[in-house]
Amino acid sequence: MKLEIFLIVFIRHVFAEDNFTINFIDSFIRNEGKPTILIYTGLCWGKYEEVKLAKVLSRSGIRCSSSTHRSSPIQDQHILFLTDLDCPGADDVLNDAMSTNLFQFPFRWLILTSVGADITNSTLWYSPILTDSDLVLAARSGDYITMTELHKPSMNHSMQSAPRGFHNGTFSDTRPHRELYRRRKDLMGTPIIMSNVIQDSNDSKEHIENESRLDLHNDAVVKGCWMVAKHSYEMLNATRRHIYSYRWGYKVNGQWSGMIADIKNNKATFATNCVTFPERLEVITYTDMVAPMRMRFVFRQPPLAYTCNIYSLPFSASVWVTIVGCSVAAVLALFFTSTWEVIMEKNPTQLDGTISDALLLTLSAVAQQGCFIEPRRAPGRIIEWFFFAALMALYAAYSANIVVLLQAPSNSIRTLAQLAASKITLGAADV
Ligand SMILES: *[C@@H]1O[C@H](CO)[C@@H](O)[C@H](O)[C@H]1NC(C)=O
Ligand SMILES: *[C@@H]1O[C@H](CO)[C@@H](O)[C@H](O)[C@H]1NC(C)=O
Ligand SMILES: *[C@@H]1O[C@H](CO)[C@@H](O)[C@H](O)[C@H]1NC(C)=O
Ligand SMILES: *[C@@H]1O[C@H](CO)[C@@H](O)[C@H](O)[C@H]1NC(C)=O
Ligand SMILES: *[C@@H]1O[C@H](CO)[C@@H](O)[C@H](O)[C@H]1NC(C)=O
Ligand SMILES: *[C@@H]1O[C@H](CO)[C@@H](O)[C@H](O)[C@H]1NC(C)=O
Ligand SMILES: *[C@@H]1O[C@H](CO)[C@@H](O)[C@H](O)[C@H]1NC(C)=O
């Protein structure tokens, strides 16, 4: 009889306790205000309690499951793991989590324990619960649960704890900020490695380390990035470490090279800003641009003679047509005057009144040469004089223009298509 009463009291006590814990879990998840899938593992509560937990949570619209199998990582940010350190299976759960990196972002953890249990020598204490981990330890004593957040700035640091709130029937959240990143701003001197790309001069390494601001034209992007990164180091209270590579990094035969390989192989945490390629997105995440960046061609304009025929350029087409027209007019005029001159007199050095002599004199004027036959009378000489004088002026203008055009650059290349179609050879160095 005594034993029965004791059992009944014991069972009622255990049930009442679990009711309190279940309510706490429910309040905890609702307080987070995030879509949540609860995965409970390593609990030794018994089926009845687990069903009750699922019932209470489903009333709040929270899914829960006891299977840790995840088919895809799409919903990882919704997952909250729940385990109870007082249960014998807890160590296995923590070891599993350690080997499959479940403590890191974006998973969340709620770990139950009881006040007085020494956890400083437990598996939990040696787990890689790093800065991005969101892990809450809930210690229960009677009807009071104290919540503590645990994390380590690095594996070499001891576990840091911060109060998160308490539950005494009503849930109370005492976090200074709800955002995780605002609560994890002090890395306590943890070294963070930055990969820098040195291409212009190996002296840049020393200039970056010493921040001496010398030779700013060498490796300007790297130095600019460091000036920005430096503020992040100060904000995070982290220790700077640099490694250097000589290439940005491309994927060749499935292997990454240079700076991208440093990040991929965990030699560095972050690196100099580099051009966004879709392929690189598999390996790295881009921050905002440190400086505005655009693709540009820098090339010297080729001389004009290289791109077009400069012999026809000094005069416009209408001037060339007019010159031809005037020449024809001069031939005809000389022809008419010479036929008249032949009637007046005959002389060996005068035009003989045929069109061929008129043409000969005109062409010698076009070529700026003299000719042994010439008009003897005033009308023909006036024509000859004007024609020679006009052509001389045109020659002077033509020669002056050619000299200017020979030195002029061409501005005919204005678009990429024109550049591609031009006779210029292009070279590129991709490092
Ligand atoms: C358990 O909690 C529910 C509210 O979720 C309450 O209605 C019920 O009375 C509690 N049971 C015990 C045994 O305290
Ligand atoms: C920590 O645990 C190990 C075994 O797991 C034990 O040998 C050691 O004595 C414990 N240390 C302390 C300080 O309790
Ligand atoms: C941790 O400390 C060990 C020895 O003190 C050192 O070799 C190791 O580099 C440190 N690890 C980190 C991440 O600082
Ligand atoms: C829980 O704690 C709050 C704040 O300290 C207090 O106001 C409230 O009365 C407590 N509730 C119970 C049931 O003890
Ligand atoms: C930065 O980290 C060092 C080393 O752990 C610590 O002593 C110092 O208080 C931290 N500074 C700030 C502002 O948190
Ligand atoms: C810098 O040093 C490395 C290794 O010693 C060398 O491969 C690289 O060519 C050097 N770069 C310059 C710009 O001198
Ligand atoms: C950079 O600092 C180191 C150590 O502080 C010093 O030995 C070196 O001469 C400095 N370099 C320059 C270019 O100032």
Side-chain angles (χ1 to χ4, degrees), residues 5-199:
I5 290 172
F6 172 73
L7 265 181
I8 288 169
V9 168
F10 177 73
I11 288 168
R12 283 188 66 91
H13 179 66
V14 166
F15 280 5
E17 232 179 45
D18 285 331
N19 204 14
F20 184 80
T21 307
I22 287 168
N23 285 340
F24 160 70
I25 295 167
D26 183 40
S27 317
F28 178 85
I29 296 173
R30 278 190 285 133
N31 174 60
E32 282 296 285
K34 294 178 184 167
T36 300
I37 301 168
L38 183 82
I39 294 184
Y40 53 90
T41 55
L43 294 190
C44 51
W45 294 0
K47 280 280 167 266
Y48 178 74
E49 303 304 319
E50 285 175 17
V51 168
K52 202 155 137 196
L53 173 68
K55 256 189 193 166
V56 170
L57 293 184
S58 75
R59 237 178 278 141
S60 307
I62 297 156
R63 274 197 286 158
C64 65
S65 147
S66 60
S67 154
T68 49
H69 173 74
R70 289 172 295 124
S71 48
S72 86
I74 295 173
Q75 295 196 319
D76 279 358
Q77 72 278 12
H78 296 168
I79 291 178
L80 172 70
F81 289 103
L82 171 74
T83 193
D84 189 346
L85 284 189
D86 294 342
C87 290
D91 274 0
D92 292 342
V93 171
L94 297 181
N95 283 325
D96 276 356
M98 231 188 281
S99 56
T100 50
N101 291 332
L102 291 185
F103 285 120
Q104 70 188 21
F105 184 80
F107 302 105
R108 287 173 280 148
W109 282 83
L110 175 61
I111 295 186
L112 306 174
T113 184
S114 48
V115 168
D118 181 22
I119 55 163
T120 52
N121 195 19
S122 66
T123 316
L124 182 66
W125 219 244
Y126 299 110
S127 299
I129 302 167
L130 297 174
T131 312
D132 63 343
S133 307
D134 190 352
L135 184 141
V136 178
L137 186 71
R140 177 170 175 182
S141 123
D143 277 356
Y144 194 86
I145 292 180
T146 322
M147 290 175 288
T148 317
E149 267 186 338
L150 299 180
H151 80 100
K152 297 178 195 174
S154 78
M155 278 313 282
N156 278 3
H157 275 89
S158 57
M159 191 70 88
Q160 308 292 314
S161 60
R164 165 110 171 193
F166 60 88
H167 181 75
N168 60 357
T170 45
F171 189 91
S172 173
D173 186 348
T174 57
R175 285 177 289 181
H177 308 286
R178 289 183 76 92
E179 303 84 2
L180 187 68
Y181 75 92
R182 292 180 73 180
R183 286 177 271 136
R184 299 287 162 82
K185 273 186 174 170
D186 187 2
L187 292 185
M188 308 182 76
T190 305
I192 295 184
I193 302 170
M194 178 175 187
S195 174
N196 303 279
V197 178
I198 301 294
Q199 288 184 325

Side-chain angles (χ1 to χ4, degrees), residues 242-253:
H242 297 281
I243 58 171
Y244 300 92
S245 62
Y246 303 97
R247 308 194 62 209
W248 296 100
Y250 290 91
K251 196 177 189 177
V252 181
N253 300 332

